[in-house]
Amino acid sequence: MQLVLNRPLDMHVHLRQEEMLQNVTPFTAQQFAGAVCMPNTLPPVDSVERYDAYVAKIKAAAAPYEFDPYVPLFFHEGLTREELAPARERLFGVKLYPAGVTTNSEAGVAEMSKIEPVLDVLQDLDLPLLVHGETNGYSHDREREFMSVYDHFARTFPKLRITMEHITTVEAAEFLEKHDNVFATATLHHLLYTMDDMLGGPFNPFLFCKPIIKSPKDREAIQSLVIQGHPKLMFGSDSAPHTEVMKRTEGAAGCFTSPVLLPGLAQFFEDHDILDQLQSFVSDRALEIYGVNPPERSVVLERKEWTVPPRYGSVVPVNAGETMRWAVVDPEVESA
Ligand code: DOR
Ligand code: ZN
């Protein structure tokens, strides 16, 4: 049995830089025709010049796959109309990180009340705002506490498209109904797991990420959006590789899911008897919401078991050692 996906997209992934970029990009480029590649590199992708350089590097790392990287600029108060307007046609959007809430976000926004002039420019240029919506509060409540910020932005800038990235809570799921200009992405790991999978038994550092995996009730809210086929919810994996050493010794936050994404999604959709909706979740809605035009590629999945390796180089994937029911059929590998 095969499943064909047309132009699948991962609307939130971390491809990193240098050696890690070379190692992880093929997993994304194999399975997706395009992806939103996050700008929280060191230094961040915070100018048009750095944007052009990063897009070129990703494309080179993705070859021979035809793959479109959509890189949102790292939000900072110094972004100006003069810099953004001439590049508008090739830019994708801007990604806002509150300062210090996650990996490489130190250069993010410390004071939300100061950024409205930049939001005004984004609204004018019709550049979408992607947001890591968490406060610096208690881990489990950070996303809930951020809802008032989303609300303020959505009301003040009604024409600005705002995406709540990697939503994890009942409150975020409900918030999608509140404003026409608010959208969201959801990850595979927040769809599948709860806090207990990470620390209910022996601690599994490979499920530690920001926002933290939450309660069964929260997971159910995200699952129910996916199952009902919510038109404002897109797939965004938030696959965020760190070396095994960083995960085990430094407590680095991020789940490396790239190698298992389409197989894991097919499994979830099959389990809920909604395989026919997978195309919409991994592509159609993002095409509509963002108006992107990725390469005309189909990706084929086959119902065939395979075992996820314990590690890929220095990185341990989510589901390491587990058996997956669906596999990606890769024409590049088949013809090699
Ligand atoms: O767990 C996470 N890891 N969440 C993020 O928002 C960033 C990411 C990373 O870059 O490692
Ligand atoms: Zn992320």
Side-chain angles (χ1 to χ4, degrees):
M1 181 182 170
Q2 287 199 333
L3 184 62
V4 181
L5 296 169
N6 189 29
R7 305 206 282 181
L9 299 168
D10 179 348
M11 299 308 282
H12 184 136
V13 65
H14 298 265
L15 295 181
R16 310 296 192 209
Q17 51 209 122
E18 294 157 13
E19 198 185 334
M20 189 67 95
L21 172 78
Q22 304 306 323
N23 293 341
V24 302
T25 301
F27 295 107
T28 297
Q30 179 206 39
Q31 294 172 72
F32 299 96
V36 175
C37 308
M38 290 298 159
N40 63 333
T41 47
L42 288 175
V45 184
D46 58 359
S47 66
V48 171
E49 194 183 337
R50 284 183 176 160
Y51 164 88
D52 287 332
Y54 193 45
V55 167
K57 280 188 184 149
I58 295 172
K59 282 196 167 179
Y65 300 104
E66 260 194 285
F67 176 78
D68 270 4
Y70 309 116
V71 180
L73 285 183
F74 192 100
F75 192 107
H76 60 99
E77 283 169 54
L79 287 174
T80 59
R81 185 184 304 269
E82 289 64 39
E83 180 182 11
L84 300 176
R88 170 63 192 96
E89 284 315 305
R90 66 183 191 279
L91 293 177
F92 172 74
V94 174
K95 172 74 187 279
L96 189 160
Y97 287 95
V101 297
T102 190
T103 310
N104 299 349
S105 63
E106 293 71 23
V109 172
E111 191 87 58
M112 292 297 159
S113 60
K114 288 196 185 150
I115 65 171
E116 300 201 356
V118 181
L119 297 183
D120 202 35
V121 172
L122 299 182
Q123 175 171 258
D124 259 17
L125 296 176
D126 194 25
L127 273 170
L129 177 72
L130 286 61
V131 185
H132 182 117
E134 289 198 286
T135 66
N136 286 301
Y138 178 64
S139 292
H140 201 73
D141 297 334
R142 288 173 185 178
E143 184 176 287
R144 293 175 231 281
E145 288 175 0
F146 199 85
M147 289 298 133
S148 58
V149 180
Y150 280 129
D151 195 56
H152 179 72
F153 288 171
R155 272 176 211 283
T156 315
F157 303 98
K159 293 218 169 75
L160 177 65
R161 276 174 288 168
I162 301 172
T163 304
M164 302 188 284
E165 293 295 329
H166 42 54
I167 57 169
T168 63
T169 54
V170 171
E171 287 77 359
E174 289 172 351
F175 191 79
L176 268 182
E177 306 311 321
K178 212 166 165 191
H179 301 280
D180 288 346
N181 56 332
V182 174
F183 306 89
T185 58
T187 77
L188 176 63
H189 48 286
H190 291 105
L191 209 51
L192 297 183
Y193 303 112
T194 69
M195 192 90 115
D196 268 5
D197 293 297
M198 179 177 57
L199 42 68
F203 178 56
N204 179 355
F206 304 105
L207 285 181
F208 172 61
C209 61
K210 308 281 182 72
I212 203 128
I213 289 174
K214 298 210 169 52
S215 69
K217 224 172 159 183
D218 287 312
R219 176 181 62 176
E220 200 185 313
I222 308 304
Q223 288 182 341
S224 130
L225 290 179
V226 171
I227 292 166
Q228 80 193 54
H230 199 289
K232 293 167 98 186
L233 187 72
M234 303 165 274
F235 174 61
S237 70
D238 202 12
S239 180
H242 294 277
T243 63
E244 181 173 5
V245 173
M246 284 295 286
K247 291 289 292 175
R248 291 192 188 279
T249 65
E250 304 287 324
C255 296
F256 180 53
T257 48
S258 296
V260 299
L261 288 173
L262 290 181
L265 283 170
Q267 216 159 289
F268 177 85
F269 277 65
E270 184 180 43
D271 287 343
H272 291 84
D273 211 11
I274 49 167
L275 263 182
D276 58 332
Q277 289 187 41
L278 185 53
Q279 172 66 36
S280 170
F281 184 53
V282 298
S283 180
D284 300 352
R285 284 180 219 148
L287 295 183
E288 200 166 303
I289 291 166
Y290 284 115
V292 288
N293 185 24
E296 281 291 353
R297 260 177 69 191
S298 292
V299 174
V300 180
L301 297 180
E302 195 171 9
R303 212 170 180 299
K304 184 173 110 185
E305 290 196 346
W306 62 288
T307 304
V308 182
R311 46 184 66 71
Y312 292 96
S314 61
V315 186
V316 175
V318 168
N319 300 127
E322 292 176 30
T323 301
M324 309 296 290
R325 294 199 304 264
W326 288 87
V328 179
V329 181
D330 187 335
E332 295 296 335
V333 173
E334 309 279 306
S335 67

